[in-house]
Amino acid sequence: MNIPQNLRYTKSHEWVQDLGDGKARVGLTDHAQSEMGDIVFVTLPEVGDDVAVGERLADVESVKAVSEVYSPLCGKISAVNDALADDPAAINNDAYGAWLAEIDDIDDMEGAVELLSADEYAELTKEA
């Protein structure tokens, strides 16, 4: 399983990339996409939406089920990956390249939700 060291992770299987200047990119982990199976549809937030920790950020539909993706941060949606509308399976092909949304105006990157290091996330997924 691919778990890049430069990202942070949530217990609900989202990844977070700190882009600096109060901005972060969020996506679904390789573990999550693997468990879901073939992803066939993605519902993304709207640019300008406010998001809060633990709120629904997006929906991802696979051949198995529809799953909610939760926001690991508080802030405002500044960009979404529109390419996923035409190619939702890109998440299966490259979970860390197929980001869902960028969140700007983040108050506290570390304190928003308990973000795990790559090693901590690997330990979490090993137990699952």
Side-chain angles (χ1 to χ4, degrees), residues 2-74:
N2 185 14
I3 305 175
Q5 292 290 319
N6 65 318
L7 303 176
R8 304 293 300 272
Y9 302 89
T10 68
K11 291 181 180 177
S12 56
H13 307 289
E14 293 86 18
W15 58 261
V16 178
Q17 178 184 18
D18 186 350
L19 299 174
D21 294 328
K23 186 180 241 181
R25 190 172 275 175
V26 177
L28 210 54
T29 66
D30 190 46
H31 174 80
Q33 70 78 26
S34 174
E35 291 292 309
M36 292 180 73
D38 293 336
I39 295 175
V40 296
F41 190 75
V42 177
T43 303
L44 298 170
E46 296 289 325
V47 171
D49 284 355
D50 290 320
V51 292
V53 172
E55 287 185 355
R56 184 179 62 78
L57 177 71
D59 293 313
V60 178
E61 183 177 342
S62 72
V63 294
K64 293 181 181 181
V66 175
S67 299
E68 290 187 349
V69 178
Y70 301 100
S71 179
L73 305 165
C74 290

Side-chain angles (χ1 to χ4, degrees), residues 77-98:
I77 301 297
S78 58
V80 295
N81 189 352
D82 289 325
L84 294 178
D86 294 328
D87 186 17
I91 297 171
N92 293 117
N93 298 329
D94 182 8
Y96 300 109

